[in-house]
Amino acid sequence: GQNIDQPTEMTATEGAIVQINCTYQTSGFNGLFWYQQHAGEAPTFLSYNVLDGLEEKGRFSSFLSRSKGYSYLLLKELQMKDSASYLCAVRGYQKVTFGTGTKLQVIP
Amino acid sequence: EAGVTQFPSHSVIEKGQTVTLRCDPISGHDNLYWYRRVMGKEIKFLLHFVKESKQDESGMPNNRFLAERTGGTYSTLKVQPAELEDSGVYFCASSQASGPPYGGNTIYFGEGSWLTVV
């Protein structure tokens, strides 16, 4: 089976940097996704890590350590529109399992 | 390129009625997934099609739920009879069967079908 843990809520200030952590235990691993979901909307793809290390995409970066079962999503220069839920999801052999999501609130 | 489309976007039905949700994946995507998110809970996997075959249906809650993907194109998810606890958002997602990590394995989600059973 798969178990994914991430914080339930976080608050950060506009312009700051925030790191959202995700730990997982899985019986098979074929990559880790981060999705952003605004209230009432579909999850949208942010990043996909299958090898260890940091992947950078503009203001968003994602890190993976397979040996530690750990990932984080780093958001820089936070904007108000970044207020959303951030979902960590792990792909096993075929199936993708989601964590509960971290609700990020960006305050002025 | 059109994304994953789902219909209906919202549905309100009475307990005991039947509802059929439809998903059109991105053209060329062999993998089609159904997920569900009930209020306050995480997104949960329901099942996975590879073309027209059910690869994994371990997440289907009970036999009131029936998913089909005839011809390996669009998929339907029928709930019959609907119960109050079936209320939630039903997401469909699709991905290519193979390819490099970003190109082949990224899963794209539809907007969801919001189901309310009263």
Side-chain angles (χ1 to χ4, degrees), chain A residues 30 33 35 37 40-43 45 47-50 55 57 85 87 91 94-101, chain B residues 31 33 35 37 41-43 45 48 50 55-56 58 91 95 101-102 105-112 114:
Chain A
N30 280 296
F33 296 88
Y35 283 87
Q37 185 176 24
E41 298 181 9
F45 171 79
S47 68
Y48 177 67
N49 293 68
V50 66
E55 296 267 353
K57 255 185 172 182
S85 287
L87 310 175
R91 179 196 288 273
Q94 289 279 2
K95 184 168 68 178
V96 174
T97 301
F98 283 83
T100 54
Chain B
N31 292 272
Y33 309 83
Y35 286 85
R37 187 170 202 172
K41 301 277 184 72
E42 70 269 28
I43 294 178
F45 169 83
H48 169 211
V50 178
Q55 184 75 18
D56 181 350
S58 60
F91 289 105
S95 68
Y102 273 100
N105 286 330
T106 301
I107 297 177
Y108 297 91
F109 281 80
E111 295 288 324
W114 299 71

Side-chain angles (χ1 to χ4, degrees), chain A:
Chain A
Q2 286 161 304
N3 187 44
I4 299 171
D5 289 309
Q6 51 182 132
T8 305
E9 293 183 344
M10 297 181 74
T11 301
T13 306
E14 189 177 14
I17 300 173
V18 71
Q19 178 173 313
I20 303 174
N21 295 324
C22 172
T23 58
Y24 64 89
Q25 297 89 42
T26 180
S27 55
F29 182 81
N30 280 296
L32 185 145
F33 296 88
W34 283 97
Y35 283 87
Q36 180 192 61
Q37 185 176 24
H38 285 99
E41 298 181 9
T44 56
F45 171 79
L46 291 178
S47 68
Y48 177 67
N49 293 68
V50 66
L51 300 175
D52 291 349
L54 187 69
E55 296 267 353
E56 296 188 74
K57 255 185 172 182
R59 293 191 299 115
F60 293 6
S61 303
S62 57
F63 172 83
L64 175 67
S65 169
R66 288 171 296 170
S67 61
K68 294 182 180 176
Y70 168 66
S71 172
Y72 67 73
L73 180 70
L74 193 71
L75 293 78
K76 301 179 218 175
E77 301 168 17
L78 279 172
Q79 301 174 9
M80 299 300 291
K81 67 178 182 179
D82 297 330
S83 293
S85 287
Y86 291 85
L87 310 175
C88 174
V90 173
R91 179 196 288 273
Y93 293 113
Q94 289 279 2
K95 184 168 68 178
V96 174
T97 301
F98 283 83
T100 54
T102 298
K103 188 174 180 181
L104 173 67
Q105 184 180 15
V106 180
I107 57 177

Side-chain angles (χ1 to χ4, degrees), chain B residues 24-116:
Chain B
D24 286 78
I26 293 172
S27 178
H29 282 193
D30 288 340
N31 292 272
L32 187 150
Y33 309 83
W34 283 99
Y35 286 85
R36 175 172 76 168
R37 187 170 202 172
V38 296
M39 184 69 73
K41 301 277 184 72
E42 70 269 28
I43 294 178
K44 287 215 163 173
F45 169 83
L46 295 179
L47 88 159
H48 169 211
F49 285 97
V50 178
K51 297 185 180 177
E52 67 274 10
S53 300
K54 290 177 186 173
Q55 184 75 18
D56 181 350
E57 53 183 328
S58 60
M60 295 287 265
N62 51 60
N63 59 10
R64 295 185 294 103
F65 289 75
L66 175 65
E68 294 180 323
R69 193 184 182 195
T70 307
T73 53
Y74 72 90
S75 174
T76 58
L77 179 65
K78 181 190 285 188
V79 185
Q80 178 184 32
E83 297 289 343
L84 299 178
E85 65 264 24
D86 300 332
S87 296
V89 186
Y90 290 78
F91 289 105
C92 177
S94 73
S95 68
Q96 288 180 330
S98 61
Y102 273 100
N105 286 330
T106 301
I107 297 177
Y108 297 91
F109 281 80
E111 295 288 324
S113 288
W114 299 71
L115 174 65
T116 303

